[in-house]
Amino acid sequence: MNNIAPVGPKPGTLICPSCRASVVTRIEHKATTRTHIVAFLLCLFLCWPCICVPYCVDSCQNADHYCPSCNAYLGTYQA
């Protein structure tokens, strides 16, 4: 896990190391290799319309945290 600050799956309050502001982090969810594998397995064993589920569920994706003030990267929570 490549974290600058300890982060979790939800927005958190911390002091940004770049701008020194006390902020609630902004999160961007990103699909990972594991997300793609789960989608592939759903396609194989269930039905093809189910492949969108891992891309719509935040818990199947990494949460990248950013400072809303200066947009600095603060860390990643790996799902």
Side-chain angles (χ1 to χ4, degrees):
M1 199 176 327
N2 185 12
N3 281 340
I4 294 171
V7 292
K10 305 271 187 211
T13 303
L14 53 84
I15 296 175
C16 175
S18 294
C19 67
R20 303 284 183 216
S22 179
V23 297
V24 175
T25 60
R26 174 179 54 87
I27 293 181
E28 292 181 11
H29 288 93
K30 297 206 174 145
T32 63
T33 302
R34 190 168 71 173
T35 308
H36 302 310
I37 291 170
V38 169
F40 178 71
L41 292 174
L42 285 171
C43 180
L44 282 179
F45 295 111
L46 293 175
C47 60
W48 67 268
C50 296
I51 64 171
C52 66
V53 172
Y55 300 103
C56 298
V57 178
D58 291 340
S59 63
C60 292
Q61 302 176 33
N62 284 355
D64 292 340
H65 291 256
Y66 296 91
C67 174
S69 297
C70 67
N71 291 320
Y73 170 76
L74 300 174
T76 297
Y77 176 79
Q78 294 180 346

